[in-house]
Amino acid sequence: MTVLVASDLDRTLIYSAAALALTMPDAAAPRLLCVEVHESRPLSYMTEAAAALLAELTADPGVVFVPTTTRTRKQYQRIRFPGRPARYAICANGGQLLVDGVPDRDWRRQVAARLAEECAPLEEVHGHLLAAADPAWLRKARVAEDLFAYLVVERERVPDEWIKSLADWAEARGWTVSLQGRKVYAVPRPLTKSAAMREVARRTGATTTLAAGDSLLDADLLLAADAAWRPGHGELADCGWTAPTVTALAERGVAAGEEIVRAFTRKAAAAGTLAP
């Protein structure tokens, strides 16, 4: 019996200092463990309880833990999770499948072929993002892994109608738009976390798949899993999104991250891989 656990990272499993504001007043905040350092500064955290649970979960040989993120490989590799290192990781929203830290070339070729057939080219979308964004609130524009583009913005100044207009424009060209924190992502529709998760499940022989995520880019991952969870914050919560196999948690912020790991642990135990 093998259980595959595919979890989104930012604002699902781990939280930046800014995202910790979603949780609770400082006086009631739990003890935290730093799991990411960038430019000599602590960047992302889990609760100590979540970290201990994750270490227990990943120690079980019947559990395949697969960090699943829109981050690039370089951004992902800054994270140091407790417990057994993950053999597989999904980066760039499914565009990169890492095996023992090394990109799988066959998977990347398959992804490239699908994108070439099914959606507008990255250059067109990136150019439109730059032309349509207002310099008054645009801070950075980036292309990630030659697969998708994103903007770093002053979120409170970005008009809602601009996001809607961009989403409509992108949809007609086979792309999806997602607003996450200070970032506006434009991602090809065929570029999905769920496809990469299914590939890892095939390679590992997983009989049960579990997932968690908070954004619209995670919806396909949650739907593809046998059971899934979303926190009480994020794009999916804001629009009231759910599905029969998806549990909508009441917890928000880092407390939701801890509850997600608890849920993974309970489900893995029920599947027979962990002691209840």
Side-chain angles (χ1 to χ4, degrees):
M1 180 75 69
T2 299
V3 173
L4 188 155
V5 175
S7 182
D8 175 52
L9 301 185
D10 296 284
R11 294 190 171 219
T12 297
L13 206 58
I14 65 175
Y15 292 80
S16 66
L20 292 175
L22 294 167
T23 310
M24 59 190 69
D26 289 349
R31 287 171 57 91
L32 300 172
L33 175 70
C34 178
V35 294
E36 180 184 13
V37 174
H38 181 47
E39 296 180 348
S40 302
R41 295 182 180 181
L43 188 61
S44 297
Y45 304 84
M46 305 173 72
T47 69
E48 287 187 348
L53 285 166
L54 185 62
E56 177 186 351
L57 182 70
T58 58
D60 189 275
V63 173
V64 179
F65 173 55
V66 185
T68 304
T69 181
T70 306
R71 288 183 177 219
T72 63
R73 290 169 292 164
K74 183 178 180 180
Q75 292 168 336
Y76 162 69
Q77 288 168 341
R78 298 195 299 249
I79 300 171
R80 295 293 181 268
F81 283 116
R84 181 163 54 102
R87 183 179 185 199
Y88 295 96
I90 296 167
C91 297
N93 211 64
Q96 294 282 10
L97 177 58
L98 306 188
V99 183
D100 294 325
V102 179
D104 187 291
R105 293 183 179 181
D106 287 341
W107 177 252
R108 181 59 189 264
R109 280 193 288 267
Q110 292 177 43
V111 169
R114 288 200 304 271
L115 299 188
E117 292 175 0
E118 299 178 30
C119 55
L122 171 62
E123 294 77 10
E124 178 184 346
V125 176
H126 184 227
H128 180 80
L129 283 175
L130 293 176
D134 188 335
W137 44 256
L138 176 63
R139 292 296 166 261
K140 297 177 184 177
R142 295 286 186 269
V143 169
E145 304 274 10
D146 292 324
L147 290 167
F148 63 90
Y150 66 92
L151 306 178
V152 180
V153 301
E154 292 185 28
R155 180 167 178 168
E156 66 280 0
R157 300 181 66 182
V158 180
D160 291 341
E161 59 270 20
W162 185 86
I163 295 291
K164 184 179 184 306
S165 176
L166 177 64
D168 291 343
W169 182 91
E171 183 178 7
R173 290 159 179 80
W175 287 63
T176 299
V177 169
S178 176
L179 176 62
Q180 301 179 38
R182 298 186 304 119
K183 294 180 180 178
V184 179
Y185 289 93
V187 177
R189 193 176 299 126
L191 189 68
T192 65
K193 295 176 179 178
S194 60
M197 182 188 74
R198 290 188 183 99
E199 176 63 14
V200 177
R202 184 188 68 80
R203 295 186 187 193
T204 60
T207 51
T208 301
T209 54
L210 311 178
D214 71 303
S215 80
L216 291 173
L217 292 176
D218 297 315
D220 68 284
L221 176 70
L222 305 190
L223 290 171
D226 295 308
W229 294 262
R230 69 152 175 83
H233 64 262
E235 282 185 311
L236 297 179
D238 289 346
C239 66
W241 184 92
T242 188
T245 56
V246 177
T247 299
L249 298 175
E251 291 85 354
R252 294 168 52 83
V254 72
E258 182 176 319
E259 180 55 32
I260 284 167
V261 185
R262 290 187 189 280
F264 287 153
T265 302
R266 288 193 298 267
K267 202 70 173 181
T273 68
L274 293 171

